Amino acid sequence: MLRIGFQTQPTGTLKQLGWAIDSQSITLDDAFFVEQDKWYLSLTVSTDEEYNFDAIFQEIQGTVLFHQRQNTDKTTNTNRTQLMVFSLEAYPFILNLLLRNKAVPNKITLKDESLHVVVSVDDWDDFQQLGDEIDDKMGSFELLEVTQVSDLGGTLNTAQRMSSILSELTDKQVETLETAFDLGYFESPRQITANEVGEELGVAQSTFSQRLRNAENALLEALFE
């Protein structure tokens, strides 16, 4: 098994967030695929100053900030903020490319305007195929290191966590989140009212609002239990 380190160009939410703030790093801790380019992203942002992430994500189209938790390293005076984001990631998205090429993601970090990625692959053929596709779809592929390893090491548990997270939500809660997202309810400014989303779902506005609160609570409890 090979451990590959490389850097490429960021896309989507990572790119937009990198433009919006002056960060030391933005790490993709975990990601959970829903369907049709929709992902839940768990991010850790390290910065020298504090930011209003609610306002920042209102300006990033196709994203919804569900949760944030901040702590400060008093030794280095670094602010670390954990974010949970529902995001529309148009192709090409780095995880799409890694998973379709049988590469196991170990670490994905945005730093100095480049996406630094560490993955594990079975053999040289997989490595070459991955490098070619990253270069073609993302616009660049700069190899940083290649080492022989005996195990996967720490990984982004994408498939396992996705299954676990979604199993905590009822079918109606998932439907409520997806419908509200698709219709632009989470955009700023909102493209549709709560009453109109309720009509689309065939329920009263109060029922929609309650389902939405329950879905958000269930999602956060599953993530941070």
Side-chain angles (χ1 to χ4, degrees), residues 18 21 23 27 56 91 109 115 125 141 147 187 193 199 223:
I21 64 175
S23 67
T27 300
I56 288 170
Y91 185 83
T109 302
L115 202 59
D125 288 340
F141 177 85
T147 55
E187 293 183 17
T193 66
E199 290 179 355
L223 284 170

Side-chain angles (χ1 to χ4, degrees), residues 148-159:
Q148 193 94 29
V149 295
S150 58
D151 57 56
L152 291 176
T155 65
L156 279 69
N157 300 316
T158 307

Side-chain angles (χ1 to χ4, degrees), residues 181-201:
F181 184 83
D182 288 341
L183 295 178
Y185 181 76
F186 294 116
E187 293 183 17
S188 180
R190 283 178 174 164
Q191 303 300 305
I192 194 169
T193 66
N195 186 60
E196 290 171 325
V197 180
E199 290 179 355
E200 180 70 20
L201 291 167

Side-chain angles (χ1 to χ4, degrees), residues 46-217:
S46 297
T47 61
D48 292 325
E49 57 184 292
E50 294 185 8
Y51 286 93
N52 183 344
F53 286 102
D54 288 308
I56 288 170
F57 276 96
Q58 287 178 8
E59 298 299 322
I60 301 178
Q61 292 297 314
T63 66
V64 180
L65 176 61
F66 277 107
H67 177 80
Q68 59 181 301
R69 179 165 49 189
Q70 180 177 311
N71 60 74
T72 302
D73 186 329
K74 295 182 179 179
T75 302
T76 62
N77 201 34
T78 299
N79 296 300
R80 289 189 175 86
T81 306
Q82 186 177 31
L83 306 172
M84 183 59 200
V85 181
F86 186 45
S87 177
L88 186 63
E89 295 291 335
Y91 185 83
F93 177 46
I94 185 63
L95 278 176
N96 285 124
L97 299 180
L98 296 180
L99 297 176
R100 68 184 287 174
N101 283 281
K102 302 177 182 178
V104 178
N106 297 101
K107 189 172 184 179
I108 299 175
T109 302
L110 179 63
K111 187 175 182 179
D112 299 328
E113 299 184 354
S114 293
L115 202 59
H116 296 254
V117 183
V118 179
V119 300
S120 298
V121 297
D122 284 333
D123 52 41
W124 283 102
D125 288 340
D126 290 336
F127 160 52
Q128 292 174 339
Q129 180 176 326
L130 172 65
D132 289 343
E133 178 132 0
I134 293 291
D135 188 42
D136 179 52
K137 303 301 184 184
M138 304 289 282
S140 67
F141 177 85
E142 181 180 345
L143 182 64
L144 301 177
E145 61 177 342
V146 181
T147 55
Q148 193 94 29
V149 295
S150 58
D151 57 56
L152 291 176
T155 65
L156 279 69
N157 300 316
T158 307
Q160 181 179 356
R161 286 295 302 276
M162 178 197 71
S163 177
S164 174
I165 295 295
L166 294 182
S167 70
E168 298 297 323
L169 275 65
T170 66
D171 290 342
K172 287 184 178 179
Q173 288 172 345
V174 172
E175 179 188 23
T176 298
L177 285 171
E178 291 184 354
T179 301
F181 184 83
D182 288 341
L183 295 178
Y185 181 76
F186 294 116
E187 293 183 17
S188 180
R190 283 178 174 164
Q191 303 300 305
I192 194 169
T193 66
N195 186 60
E196 290 171 325
V197 180
E199 290 179 355
E200 180 70 20
L201 291 167
V203 300
Q205 181 271 328
S206 59
T207 302
F208 159 69
S209 297
Q210 184 62 51
R211 283 188 188 175
L212 185 62
R213 285 194 296 271
N214 291 343
E216 292 172 344
N217 288 336

